[in-house]
Amino acid sequence: MKPLIFFSTWMLLLITSAAQAQDRYTISGTISDTANGETMIGALVAIMELPGKGAVSNEYGFYSITLDAGQYTLLYQYTGYTAKKVNINLKANQKIDIDLVSEATMLKAVEITAESTNKNITDAKMGVEKLDIKEINKLPVLFGERDILKSIQLLPGVKSAGEGNAGFFVRGGQADHNLILLDEAPVYNASHLLGFFSTFNSDAIKDATLYKGSAPANFGGRASSVLDIRMNEGNNKSYQVGGGIGLISSRLLVEGPIVKDKGSFIVTGRRTYADVFLKASSDETLKKSKLYFYDLNLKANYTLNDKNRLFLSAYSGRDVLGVADAFSLDWGNTTVTARWNHIANAKWFSNTSLIFSDYNYTIGINSSALDINILSRIQDYNVKQEWQFFPNASTNFRFGANAIYHTMTPGEITASEGSGVDDTADLEKRYSMEAAVYANGESKIGTQWKINYGVRLSTFSPLGGDHYTFDDKGNAIDTTTYAQNKIVKTYVVPEPRLTASYIINESTSIKGGYARNAQFLHLISNTTSASPTDLWIPSSKNVKPQIADQVSLGLFKNFKNNAYEFSTEVYYKDMQNQIDYRNGASTQGNELIEGELLYGDGRAYGIEFLLKKKKGKFSGWLGYTLSRTERQIDGINNSDWYPSRQDRTHEISVVGVYDLSEKLSFSAAWIYYTGNAVTFPSGKYQVDGETYLVYTERNGYRMPDYHRLDLSVTWYRKKTAKYESNWNFSLYNAYGRENAFTISFRENDDDPSRTSAYQTTLFRWIPSVTYNFLFK
C-alpha cells in the first residue's frame, strides 16, 4: 500500500500548489459541430504564444485551460474541420464555447486554413488507435454492412478471430480480454449472426477509441484492451431522416432537437431480412425457419443550464435463429446509461453515471417428446462517479470510483409437463461485487517530457451460494454453502499505469509505458472466438483473477508537415492465472465447471509497424505485426510452453482510400496472416470397428495461411442543402481465395483405411450494393 499512499500524497500536493497560484485565470467551454451541435471528443486547443501548451476536449466536448493573465491567441482544431483562432485578453475567468465548421461543408471559394497537428508525437499515450467514423464508412465491407469491429481488425496488434468473425484479439489476449463499452455500458457479446456482423450500427456511432493494453486508470476489468465507443447525441439544430437499403439489411435514422440548441435525440434501427427469402422456399421447414437480427439505438440529452446536462442512452439488439418449430436459438444485449454532467466551476468537471447491462441467450427445443427452454444470462448494475480537474495548461487529473453488481445465470430450464425433463435442475446463479477507485493524471515537464500516470485499486468479491473444493483430477471433494450476499472471498489488485513521451523535436518522439490490468470475469469457450452460448463465470475460491503486466516502447515519426505518420512499438506481456481446459472437458450445463479448468501462465511479445497517410486525395495505412503468444499450464503439453490458439507469427494489412472527385471514392484492403495454432489428430485407433482419433500436442499444428483482397466504390449521387445520397458497391474476397474456415478429419471417401483432412470454406466473391440517403 505504500506506493498508493505516496501517489495520493503527491497528487494532493500538486492539486494544492496549483490551487494556491495567483494572478491566473481559466478559459473553459464546450467545442461543438456548427451543423448539428454534436460535441467533439478530443478536439485540440493550442495556445499560439506557448508552444506545447494547450488542452484536449473530454468525452463531452468540455475543455479547460488555466494561464497567467495576458494576451493570447487560441487555436481550436479537429480533424476534418476548419481551424478557428480566437484572440483574448485574459484578466478574468472566461467561458468560450466554440463551433467548428466541417471542411466538407465549406464552399470551394472559401480558403481553408487548417493548421498542422502532431498530437501523435506530443501525446503521452501509446498503443492507442482512434477510429475515424467517416473513413470507416468508405472501407470495403462484408454484405454491405459498415463495421467498426472489422475495421479494428485491420490495425497492427489486433488480430481477427477468423473468416467473417467480429471477434478480435489484442496483443496476445483472448476474445474475452477486451472490454467493449457502448456509452460506458459493457457489451458482452458484440456480434450478430454467429460473428459475421458486429452489434454496432455505424449510423449511431460518434467516436471509437481502442487502447491496446495501456488504457488510463478509469478503465478496468479486462486483461488486454478497451474499446470505448460513444454514440451520437443527435442534431440539436434541425430534424434529419437517413438510412440505407442493402441486399440483406436496411437501416433508418431519425434525429432532431427536443428544444433547439438545448436538447436533442437520435433513434437508429437496423434489421436483416434473410428470413423473408426463406418464405419463398418450397420446403416447408425452410418456410417456417427464422434467421435475422435487429439493432435499436436511442439517445437523448438536455441542457438544464450552463452547468448541468443530462443524457440517456439505450441499446437493444437481438439475433433470432430457428429451424421451423423444432429448434430455436436467440441471443442479444440490452444496455441503458443515464448520465449527469456537472460543471462545478471552470476547473472542475463531474460525471455521474448509472449503467445497466444485460446479455442473455435462450435455446428452445420443441418436438413430440420434448418442449424445453434453456436460459443463460449475465446482468450488471453499475454506478460510477468521476471528477476531472484542470489546474493549469500543463496538468490535468481524473479520479473516481465505480461499483458493479454482477448476476450470472449459467442455466435456467423450463419444461412442459410430460416432457420428462426436470425443470428444477437449474444451474445455481452466481452473484458478485466488483468495485474500484482510481486516479489518473497527465503532466508536461519542461518542453520535452509528457507523462500519463495513474493507479486503479480493484476489488472483487464472489457472494453466497455453494462453492466447491476439487482434487488434482478435478473431482469435487467438498462443498461449502454461504448465505445469500455473504462475501466468500475478496481479491484486491492494485493496477499501476504509466506512459511517458520524450519529444525529440516537433516531428519525432520516443514513448514507453507499463500497465497492469486485472480481469475478474472469464469466458468459458472451446472455440477461438466468442459464441453466443459460451459461458461467463466469475472469479471464485478456485478461479483467480487473470492479471496481465505489459511493458512497451515505441518510436513515433511524422513526415511532410504531419501528412504521414510512422510508428513502431515493441511490447512484452506477462499473464498470470490463465485458463485452459482438461482434455475432454465438458463446459456446457456443468455445475462443477471449475473442476474442468486448469490454470497457468501466459506470455505475448511482438513488434508492430504502422505507416499512415492522413491528407490528400489518397489516404490509408500499411500495418505489420510480428508476434508470439504462448502458455504454460500444468497438465497440458507435458507442462511445456505451447502456442495459444490466437498465436500468429505474421500479420499484414494494406488499406487505401482514393477520392477521385467529389462524386467518386475508391477503397481497397488487403489482409494476410499466418494460420492460427490448432490441435489436429496425430494418430488413430479402432475399437469394435469404430475409429477414434488420438490428440497429443496442444495447438501443435497450423491452419493454412489466410489472405484476401476487398474492393469498394462509393458514388455520391446527389448532395443539396436538403438531401444527399450515395451508392456503395463492394466486393469481398475479390480474387476468390478459398480460405479455410474449418478443417475436419474423417475416413477417406475412397479408402476407409486412411484418414483425410477436409477443408470448409465460407466466402468467395461476395458482392454487395447499398443505397444510403439523408433528408435534412
Side-chain angles (χ1 to χ4, degrees), residues 77-94:
Q77 306 168 88
Y78 192 78
T79 303
Y81 286 73
T82 303
K84 180 178 288 188
K85 290 181 180 180
V86 177
N87 296 310
I88 64 167
N89 180 14
L90 187 60
K91 52 186 180 181
N93 290 345
Q94 294 192 34

Side-chain angles (χ1 to χ4, degrees), residues 514-563:
Y514 163 76
R516 165 169 282 201
N517 294 279
Q519 178 163 334
F520 303 99
L521 305 181
H522 319 280
L523 187 67
I524 303 303
S525 171
N526 274 323
T527 62
T528 57
S529 60
S531 164
T533 58
D534 290 339
L535 177 67
W536 287 86
I537 64 171
S539 292
S540 65
K541 290 198 302 182
N542 300 299
V543 183
K544 297 180 180 179
Q546 298 182 65
I547 297 175
D549 293 280
Q550 178 180 283
V551 291
S552 53
L553 181 67
L555 171 67
F556 296 76
K557 175 71 176 177
N558 288 1
F559 302 93
K560 292 190 175 181
N561 196 28
N562 301 309

